[in-house]
Amino acid sequence: MSSKTRQERESPEHEAIESFTLLTKCDPKVSRKYLQRNHWNVNYALNEYYDKEIGTFAEEVPIPAHPVIYPRELVQVFDQYANVALFDMDSLVKFIEDLGYNLEDLATLCLVHLLGYKKLEEPLKRELFLSAWFMQGCSTLPNMQRCVKGLDAKLHEDLQYFTEIYDYTFHLILDTNRKDVDTDEAIQYWTLLFQPEYPIHMESGLLEAWFRFLHDEGKRTVTKDAWHMLLQFFKQYPTIQSIIDDYNEAAAWPFIIDEFYEFLRD
């Protein structure tokens, strides 16, 4: 009896259950269920678990509390691009290009959000890179390409995910020790984010009117509240006429949006 127990403990299946449970903190029975469904592949089981139980797109990339043995191929990807064990800006640019994207593509926002970047200029630590891809079940560049392609498709179709990336963008472009972003930089990202193929649908002249208002009124910076609420504003009022006809100045909109309403009326 004891010999059988020892064999079970030394089996690959038992080791997989232990690794999965260590990473997810879930019940071993849940670990077994996901591992069996994924033919005992820990990477793929983790990918399914985080999709179904928690949601793939966490604000912070979880780092396992105990050391994890990452797949050799995944470590090789990191080492291929890393600069002295750090994923710096040069590393990121080359990595993005090899994935088939440019730094200016919105899919890149999905990628850096997945990896847990807080600022693009701050190098990403090895553990964050490895942990993020490990949780996605990705160990090779083709796997990662498919993952980013899926995130890009989700950005086009899923309003909740689009909103998450939209709010994340403000923090990503915000300079250290500042509470607002320069209007010119905000306009660059608004131009990308409010393209017709994304979930926020509004008449083309509305965004142009917003930019003209910011320029004519000399608005040099954009606050976090203004950035966040502008998305809600465009969702509720997708045309200039709907703003003029239905806008409620007594509602809890930022003052800059009240000013925009007056600008449109004038």
Side-chain angles (χ1 to χ4, degrees):
M1 187 73 169
S2 59
S3 174
K4 182 179 180 182
T5 302
R6 209 165 29 245
Q7 289 177 356
E8 288 177 349
R9 288 178 179 173
E10 293 172 355
S11 70
E13 290 82 2
H14 184 80
E15 291 178 2
I17 291 172
E18 281 194 334
S19 297
F20 191 97
T21 304
L22 178 66
L23 287 166
T24 62
K25 309 302 181 190
C26 69
D27 189 276
K29 292 181 180 178
V30 176
S31 301
R32 175 178 287 277
K33 178 184 71 173
Y34 280 96
L35 286 162
Q36 286 177 331
R37 282 215 298 256
N38 288 276
H39 307 289
W40 299 95
N41 185 305
V42 176
N43 289 352
Y44 293 131
L46 284 168
N47 193 29
E48 182 186 2
Y49 174 83
Y50 279 97
D51 274 341
K52 292 185 176 179
E53 303 286 344
I54 296 178
T56 301
F57 309 104
E59 191 167 318
E60 296 285 343
V61 176
I63 299 178
H66 301 282
V68 177
I69 299 176
Y70 294 108
R72 180 169 52 87
E73 298 88 349
L74 176 57
V75 176
Q76 288 175 343
V77 171
F78 178 83
D79 290 341
Q80 178 182 345
Y81 295 96
N83 181 17
V84 194
L86 287 173
F87 221 71
D88 60 14
M89 181 59 78
D90 290 338
S91 306
L92 179 62
V93 170
K94 183 67 169 64
F95 182 58
I96 290 169
E97 290 174 350
D98 288 352
L99 288 173
Y101 295 93
N102 297 312
L103 192 62
E104 299 79 18
D105 293 334
L106 287 190
T108 298
L109 288 176
C110 301
L111 171 64
V112 297
H113 176 258
L114 173 69
L115 293 177
Y117 271 90
K118 294 185 177 179
K119 303 292 177 190
L120 287 179
E121 64 272 14
E122 296 177 3
L124 190 72
K125 294 181 180 179
R126 178 181 185 273
E127 186 68 23
L128 272 174
F129 182 92
L130 297 178
S131 176
W133 288 120
F134 185 67
M135 295 301 179
Q136 297 300 314
C138 297
S139 300
T140 66
L141 203 64
N143 294 155
M144 296 169 186
Q145 286 174 321
R146 285 192 290 271
C147 179
V148 176
K149 186 177 180 180
L151 296 177
D152 189 23
K154 185 166 187 171
L155 189 69
H156 283 74
E157 301 165 359
D158 188 324
L159 179 57
Q160 182 177 350
Y161 179 55
F162 178 88
T163 302
E164 187 174 349
I165 294 299
Y166 175 86
D167 289 340
Y168 167 75
T169 300
F170 180 87
H171 297 282
L172 188 70
I173 66 178
L174 183 67
D175 289 336
T176 305
N177 299 323
R178 286 192 57 181
K179 296 183 178 180
D180 46 27
V181 300
D182 293 336
T183 298
D184 288 343
E185 187 170 17
I187 287 176
Q188 290 178 15
Y189 280 91
W190 278 327
T191 302
L192 293 172
L193 287 159
F194 290 125
Q195 296 178 60
E197 62 265 30
Y198 293 103
I200 298 298
H201 303 296
M202 57 188 183
E203 67 177 4
S204 59
L206 179 54
L207 189 61
E208 294 171 7
W210 172 251
F211 292 162
R212 189 166 64 250
F213 157 74
L214 295 173
H215 178 267
D216 291 356
E217 298 298 317
K219 304 296 184 182
R220 296 186 177 182
T221 59
V222 176
T223 66
K224 175 185 175 181
D225 188 42
W227 176 279
H228 172 72
M229 293 303 294
L230 185 69
L231 179 64
Q232 310 305 317
F233 178 72
F234 286 156
K235 284 167 58 178
Q236 187 168 339
Y237 302 104
T239 68
I240 292 175
Q241 196 59 49
S242 66
I243 298 171
I244 294 173
D245 293 342
D246 303 324
Y247 183 73
N248 180 7
E249 290 183 271
W253 295 105
F255 181 65
I256 192 173
I257 292 183
D258 288 337
E259 291 181 298
F260 179 51
Y261 165 68
E262 297 293 341
F263 176 84
L264 292 178
R265 288 187 60 190
D266 293 341

